[in-house]
């Protein structure tokens, strides 16, 4: 290889490496700036709304910070994280375009695809961070926030919802509980049926059921036990009866914050356990499970869309780019909410509901990339 040609290749490699580090540095610094700025605004607005509640609770500043804002801030980060990344990309890329840096980079022989590579790397890094946070960190923060809101701010009953349950305890046992009280851990009516070959062979009913801590069993009052076969029926009456069930008091509490507080492994295990019991209405939990994997991909897609949009020099400058970016983000959020509603209230599969917005905006990203001046 000729020495001049080798030197030229070396110079180009060094230039491209510097280009990557230059763009990535701007990417990370701008992202941190946007995240801190929006966090300060969110905390200021939230604290102004809750000042009276904090005063009535009689909490010190340190308690408010550790018991509430240590959970609230990660919650806000997780909620607005894709938007932080999107705005950061548009902001620093539009400044580069306005100063003709993008034109100079492409004029030096760097291909458009090669110019996008540091954006792709940055998007993958931010997506991985969000993926890990969604699985483990943000659920723990939501637990802190929700506990504080229930205890001090009166945001509602942690275990709200219907107090009537009908579920499957195991493969052939079905139980029903009516008017269950989470405080006393008792219910006014209880029945149990065991089925074999599509026929009931055992039936148990009681006027009252209550959890007994000392025995670690359920205690029935005025129980009627029936053993049924093809020829006869045997009936036994029990003023009191202790039974073992594959069911604990914690399984009869419906927590409105549950899907936000469970880590992803815990959420998967909970959904499987509820499906085995025959519980319906789990689509909200399933959508949340799939969204925790879909949102990191959203970060990557919005990064590429932001780079393509802001990389073009326009008369409107950064203002026009930011307006277009906010419009796209708003459309994305609306599509995400619509798909969630169709999954929870309709027949749309939860996995599809979580990934449809990404599919649509991936097509948008491809279209914008092909139409971008290169």
């Amino acid at each position: 290889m000729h020495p001049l040609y080798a030197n030229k290749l070396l110079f180009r490699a060094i230039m491209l490496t510097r280009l990557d580090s230059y763009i990535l540095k701007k990417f990370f610094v701008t992202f941190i700036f946007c995240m801190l700025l929006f966090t300060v605004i969110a905390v200021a607005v939230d604290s102004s709304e809750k000042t009276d509640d904090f005063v009535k609770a009689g909490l010190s500043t340190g308690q408010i910070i550790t018991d509430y804002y240590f959970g609230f801030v990660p919650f806000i980060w997780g909620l607005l994280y894709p938007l932080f990344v999107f705005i950061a990309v548009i902001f620093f890329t539009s400044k580069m375009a306005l100063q003709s840096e993008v034109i100079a980079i492409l004029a030096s022989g760097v291909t458009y695809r090669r110019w996008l590579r540091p954006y792709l790397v940055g998007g993958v890094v931010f997506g991985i961070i969000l993926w890990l946070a969604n699985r483990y960190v943000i659920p723990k923060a939501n637990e802190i926030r929700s506990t504080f809101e229930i205890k001090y701010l009166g945001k509602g009953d942690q275990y709200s919802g219907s107090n009537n349950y009908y579920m499957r305890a195991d493969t052939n046992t079905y139980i029903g509980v009516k008017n269950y009280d989470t405080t006393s851990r008792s219910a006014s009516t209880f029945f149990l049926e065991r089925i074999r070959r599509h026929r009931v062979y055992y039936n148990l009913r009681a006027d009252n059921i209550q959890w007994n801590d000392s025995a670690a069993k359920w205690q029935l009052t005025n129980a009627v036990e029936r053993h049924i076969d093809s020829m006869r029926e045997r009936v036994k009456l029990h003023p009191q009866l202790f039974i073992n069930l594959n069911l604990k008091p914690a399984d009869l509490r419906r927590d409105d914050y549950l899907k936000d507080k469970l880590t992803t492994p815990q959420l998967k295990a909970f959904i499987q356990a509820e499906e085995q019991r025959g519980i319906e209405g789990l689509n909200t939990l399933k959508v949340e499970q799939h969204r925790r994997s879909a949102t990191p991909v959203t970060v990557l897609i919005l990064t590429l869309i932001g780079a393509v949009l802001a990389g073009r020099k326009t008369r409107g400058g950064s203002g026009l780019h930011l307006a277009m970016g906010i419009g796209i983000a708003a459309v994305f959020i609306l599509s995400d909410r619509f798909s969630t509603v169709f999954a929870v209230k309709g027949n749309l599969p939860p996995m599809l509901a979580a990934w449809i917005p990404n599919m649509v905006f991936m097509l948008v990203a491809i279209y914008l990339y092909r139409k971008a001046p290169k």
Side-chain angles (χ1 to χ4, degrees):
M1 182 182 297
H2 195 275
L4 292 178
Y5 183 70
N7 291 335
K8 185 177 180 180
L9 290 178
L10 179 61
F11 174 77
R12 175 169 290 186
I14 294 174
M15 184 189 70
L16 294 179
T17 304
R18 289 180 177 176
L19 173 64
D20 292 337
S21 61
Y22 177 73
I23 293 177
L24 286 173
K25 181 180 178 181
K26 283 182 172 290
F27 196 173
F28 283 96
V29 170
T30 310
F31 169 78
I32 294 173
F33 173 77
C34 290
M35 186 172 65
L36 293 178
L37 178 63
F38 279 96
T39 301
V40 170
I41 295 173
V43 170
V45 173
D46 184 75
S47 61
S48 65
E49 292 179 350
K50 295 183 173 66
T51 300
D52 293 338
D53 294 322
F54 292 152
V55 172
K56 291 178 183 178
L59 300 174
S60 65
T61 303
Q63 288 177 312
I64 294 172
I65 293 174
T66 56
D67 295 347
Y68 178 65
Y69 283 109
F70 275 13
F72 176 79
V73 171
F75 163 73
I76 288 295
W77 287 351
L79 185 66
L80 300 178
Y81 191 95
L83 185 62
F84 292 157
V85 175
F86 193 43
I87 291 177
V89 171
I90 289 179
F91 186 74
F92 83 84
T93 305
S94 63
K95 287 189 66 177
M96 290 176 60
L98 189 62
Q99 296 170 1
S100 301
E101 293 182 52
V102 177
I103 295 175
I105 291 171
L106 298 177
S108 66
V110 178
T111 63
Y112 195 81
R113 183 182 300 178
R114 178 60 185 82
W115 170 68
L116 286 176
R117 191 172 78 174
Y119 291 93
L120 180 63
V121 172
V124 170
V125 171
F126 283 121
I128 292 174
I129 293 173
L130 180 59
W131 183 77
L132 293 173
N134 277 344
R135 291 177 66 88
Y136 304 106
V137 179
I138 295 176
K140 296 300 182 182
N142 285 331
E143 185 174 3
I144 296 172
R145 178 182 61 88
S146 61
T147 301
F148 185 93
E149 290 182 346
I150 292 166
K151 185 176 181 180
Y152 295 108
L153 305 183
K155 286 290 186 177
D157 185 5
Q158 185 176 4
Y159 307 116
S160 62
S162 172
N163 293 323
N164 301 324
Y165 300 88
Y166 179 73
M167 63 183 68
R168 184 170 61 183
D170 54 46
T171 55
N172 65 339
T173 303
Y174 295 84
I175 62 175
V177 177
K178 186 176 181 181
N179 298 327
Y180 180 77
D181 183 11
T182 58
T183 304
S184 62
R185 295 184 293 184
S186 64
S188 61
T189 305
F190 170 80
F191 74 87
L192 178 149
E193 292 179 342
R194 289 196 174 101
I195 298 175
R196 180 191 299 144
R197 297 175 183 174
H198 306 291
R199 293 183 179 181
V200 177
Y201 72 92
Y202 178 81
N203 179 274
L204 177 64
R205 294 181 179 272
D207 292 339
N208 180 269
I209 181 173
Q210 185 167 16
W211 177 257
N212 189 299
D213 286 318
S214 59
K217 295 180 180 179
W218 291 99
Q219 180 180 348
L220 304 182
T221 304
N222 296 330
V224 180
E225 192 176 17
R226 289 184 173 86
H227 296 268
I228 306 167
D229 57 32
S230 59
M231 301 297 295
R232 58 183 180 140
E233 177 181 349
R234 292 180 288 117
V235 180
K236 291 183 181 180
L237 302 179
H238 303 274
Q240 286 190 344
L241 179 65
F242 289 91
I243 61 172
N244 279 318
L245 290 175
N246 184 25
L247 185 71
K248 297 294 185 290
D251 299 326
L252 297 177
R253 299 184 301 182
R254 298 190 176 177
D255 189 348
D256 292 337
Y257 294 95
L258 185 64
K259 69 180 179 63
D260 300 320
K261 297 193 300 185
L262 295 178
T263 63
T264 300
Q266 292 172 340
L267 183 61
K268 289 181 180 179
F270 180 80
I271 291 173
Q272 291 175 357
E274 293 294 280
E275 286 179 335
Q276 290 175 358
R277 294 191 179 107
I279 300 297
E280 298 180 351
L282 297 176
N283 279 358
T284 302
L285 300 176
K286 292 179 180 179
V287 170
E288 174 66 20
Q289 175 189 342
H290 292 298
R291 178 170 286 121
R292 293 183 183 183
S293 298
T295 308
V297 179
T298 302
V299 171
L300 179 59
I301 295 173
L302 291 181
T303 298
L304 296 178
I305 291 177
V308 172
L309 280 178
R312 183 177 182 178
K313 188 174 182 180
T314 59
R315 291 183 179 180
S318 301
L320 179 60
H321 291 151
L322 286 173
M324 294 173 63
I326 292 173
I328 290 176
V331 173
F332 183 89
I333 293 172
L334 286 175
S335 64
D336 181 66
R337 293 296 173 265
F338 273 119
S339 63
T340 300
V341 170
F342 285 129
V344 174
K345 303 296 183 181
N347 298 320
L348 186 65
M351 183 176 181
L352 193 59
W355 284 93
I356 277 180
N358 282 349
M359 296 176 185
V360 173
F361 278 82
M362 177 59 77
L363 297 176
V364 173
I366 294 173
Y367 173 80
L368 292 175
Y369 171 77
R370 289 182 175 179
K371 293 295 183 179
K374 303 177 180 61

